[in-house]
């Protein structure tokens, strides 16, 4: 296990010099995320939620620890079987690193160096535990004198050299600590980017470009309702990144190319000297289950995507914008939706702050009406104007739908699940969304009674969720409440239960309460 530890810590330290994504441990974990079969992914997300990444890292550590233990046990009796096992893991790690987006042959170096040191450690330590051949002169002396002391000496000489083993183990621990510290210190980039973010000034927004004020009656007047604006710290986070990409504004570039009249490369200064807008938009994840909380609303500061595209001049037969993040994730967004006048933004600010690192610092996309997986690329660095029949993106390659318009959804937020409900007047409240179509009606049904209109709070815009409340005269017993919404096109939310795959869940949300007298 120490040999494995030494391989990983040295690999991680060397990776800090090559590229932190070439670290053996992270490269393997990243590949697992990208190549896990869809059912396995869904199961782990169901079971673990956003703890799926720590769980993956812990699981990998356990597998590696077991592999190290097995290699150690086998190396002594069946040399070099243990070394071969470590070598095989090293080779796998090296291949995973080379295959990462942005990776090259050099990305194998950290793993291979780490594995070489690990194998050497394993061999030396296993050797120390092999029975030592007695030295001829000393054993001769021992036989002649036949004293208890010399007998002991003879015994020590034919048994494993525990002292040497312990010295080697101690050195291994020291090396792991030193290489680990070096690796972490060298990979402090994320810390540096956080410092930059703290001092960053967002571009100013002229009064005529700022988001309309949020009316006071945007949420029902009842305790425990979902706030209209979601705080940055509370905003749901979904992405495939094990480590949040660390990109400074100085390093950031956006290359616009492909089926365009003119290629363009933008840097941070060229972007933020444009006229910025602020818009309030609700984002939703396609993986959201009926009643789930993978949705949030923020005020985004940014620049119209349509204007930037127009500068490059998309060719008439192009129909897709393939956007790529600095860590190689991609989304394919219909050009039609990006240029139809909706507030599709290349965003740099979230609720008046620079984007938090995990929400795409320094630059991301926000497109009203489309699920995040086809539109909301964080840490975006590349735009290729192309066609749906030429290109595909990260999640569409994994069985999700090519197009991702957001489906109408409604959620009962209060009373909370398992809350004790007292008979009498109970204010039920919730959230409904159908971004870019808007919500025009919400109805609630108690058990198998008739649908009744909920009280709609003021609508902010068609691009944001809408809050509602419903006065329920609750009678003692077990009751189930259902909710459904109607969108701006007059379409009533369907009862048909469908899972998130491949283009968003459908069905009515319901909650069952025990009402006490
Ligand atoms: N680079 C990158 N951008 C990404 C993703 C990702 O995995 N990588 N996930 C997308 C998905 S599926 C969603 S729902 C939104 C979520 O944005 P948020 O984490 O800021 O809420 O980001 C999108 N942008
Ligand atoms: Mo998503």
């Amino acid at each position: 296990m120490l040999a494995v530890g030494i391989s990983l810590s040295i690999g991680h330290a060397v990776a800090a010099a090559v590229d932190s994504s070439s670290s053996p441990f992270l490269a393997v974990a990243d590949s697992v995320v990208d190549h896990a079969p869809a059912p396995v992914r869904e199961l782990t997300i169901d079971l673990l939620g956003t703890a799926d990444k720590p769980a993956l890292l812990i699981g990998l550590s356990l597998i590696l620890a077991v592999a190290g233990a097995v290699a150690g046990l086998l190396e002594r009796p069946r040399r070099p079987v243990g070394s071969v096992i470590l070598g095989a893991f090293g080779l796998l790690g090296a291949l995973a690193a080379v295959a990462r987006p942005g990776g090259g042959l050099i990305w194998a170096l950290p793993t291979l160096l780490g594995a070489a040191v690990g194998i050497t450690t394993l061999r030396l330590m296993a050797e120390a535990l092999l029975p030592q051949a007695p030295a001829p002169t000393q054993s001769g002396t021992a036989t002649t004198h036949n004293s208890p002391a010399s007998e002991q000496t003879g015994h020590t000489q034919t048994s494993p050299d525990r002292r040497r083993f312990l010295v080697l183990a101690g050195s291994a621990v020291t090396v792991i600590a030193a290489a680990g510290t070096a690796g972490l210190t060298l990979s402090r980039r994320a810390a540096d980017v956080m410092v930059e973010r703290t001092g960053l000034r967002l571009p100013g927004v002229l009064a005529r470009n700022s988001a309309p004020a949020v009316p006071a009656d945007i949420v029902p007047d009842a305790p425990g309702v979902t706030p209209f604006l979601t705080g940055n710290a509370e905003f749901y986070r979904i992405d495939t990144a094990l480590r949040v990409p660390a990109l400074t504004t100085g390093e950031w570039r956006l290359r616009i190319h492909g089926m365009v009249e003119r290629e363009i490369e933008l840097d941070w200064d060229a972007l933020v000297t444009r006229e910025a807008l602020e818009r309030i938009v609700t984002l939703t994840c396609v993986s959201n289950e009926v009643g789930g909380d993978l949705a949030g609303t923020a005020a985004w500061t940014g620049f119209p995507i349509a204007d930037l595209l127009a500068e490059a001049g998309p060719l008439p037969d192009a129909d897709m914008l393939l956007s790529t993040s600095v860590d190689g994730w991609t989304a394919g967004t219909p050009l039609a939706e990006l240029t139809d006048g909706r507030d599709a933004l290349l965003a740099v600010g979230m609720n008046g702050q620079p984007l938090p690192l995990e929400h795409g610092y320094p630059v991301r996309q926000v497109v009203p009406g489309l699920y995040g997986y086809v539109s909301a690329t964080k840490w975006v660095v590349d735009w290729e104007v192309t066609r749906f029949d030429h290109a595909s993106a990260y999640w569409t390659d994994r069985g999700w739908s090519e197009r991702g318009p957001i489906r109408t959804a409604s959620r009962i937020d209060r009373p909370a699940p398992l809350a004790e409900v007292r008979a009498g007047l109970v204010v039920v409240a919730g959230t409904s969304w159908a971004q870019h179509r808007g919500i025009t009606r919400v109805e609630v049904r108690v058990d198998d009674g008739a649908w009744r209109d909920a009280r709609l709070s003021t609508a902010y815009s068609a691009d944001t969720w809408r809050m509602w409340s419903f006065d329920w005269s609750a009678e003692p017993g077990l009751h189930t409440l259902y909710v459904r919404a109607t969108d701006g096109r007059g379409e009533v939310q369907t009862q048909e239960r469908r899972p998130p795959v491949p283009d968003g869940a459908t069905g009515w949300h319901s909650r069952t309460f025990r009402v006490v007298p």
Side-chain angles (χ1 to χ4, degrees), residues 122-135:
L122 175 70
R123 302 202 71 138
L124 289 175
M125 291 181 76
E127 225 168 65
L129 290 183
L130 285 175
Q132 308 290 304

Side-chain angles (χ1 to χ4, degrees), residues 236 238-239 284-288 294 329 371-374 395:
Y236 81 94
I238 294 286
D239 54 62
T284 310
C285 182
V286 68
S287 299
N288 195 49
L294 298 181
W329 186 86
Y371 284 124
Y373 82 105
V374 291
W395 285 115

Side-chain angles (χ1 to χ4, degrees), residues 245-286:
L247 188 62
T248 61
T249 53
E251 290 160 340
W252 181 81
R253 298 278 184 288
L254 178 67
R255 193 161 89 86
I256 311 177
H257 61 106
M259 299 171 66
V260 291
E261 277 156 21
R262 295 162 292 279
E263 279 198 17
I264 293 180
E265 194 173 272
L266 276 177
D267 62 13
W268 175 260
D269 292 331
L271 180 67
V272 296
T273 46
R274 285 153 206 264
E275 203 171 300
L277 310 181
E278 187 185 43
R279 292 289 181 265
I280 297 182
V281 175
T282 300
L283 287 192
T284 310
C285 182
V286 68

Side-chain angles (χ1 to χ4, degrees), residues 53 235-241 245 283-287 294-296 300 323-331 350 355-356 358-360 364-366 370-380 394-395:
K53 280 155 204 159
F235 210 93
Y236 81 94
R237 173 187 168 200
I238 294 286
D239 54 62
T240 58
L283 287 192
T284 310
C285 182
V286 68
S287 299
L294 298 181
W300 305 95
S323 53
T324 307
S325 66
V326 71
D327 63 340
W329 186 86
T330 49
M350 183 175 183
L355 293 172
E358 60 274 20
H359 292 293
R364 73 168 305 166
Q365 297 170 203
V366 171
L370 301 182
Y371 284 124
Y373 82 105
V374 291
S375 68
T377 310
K378 307 190 271 190
W379 317 288
V380 62
Y394 189 93
W395 285 115

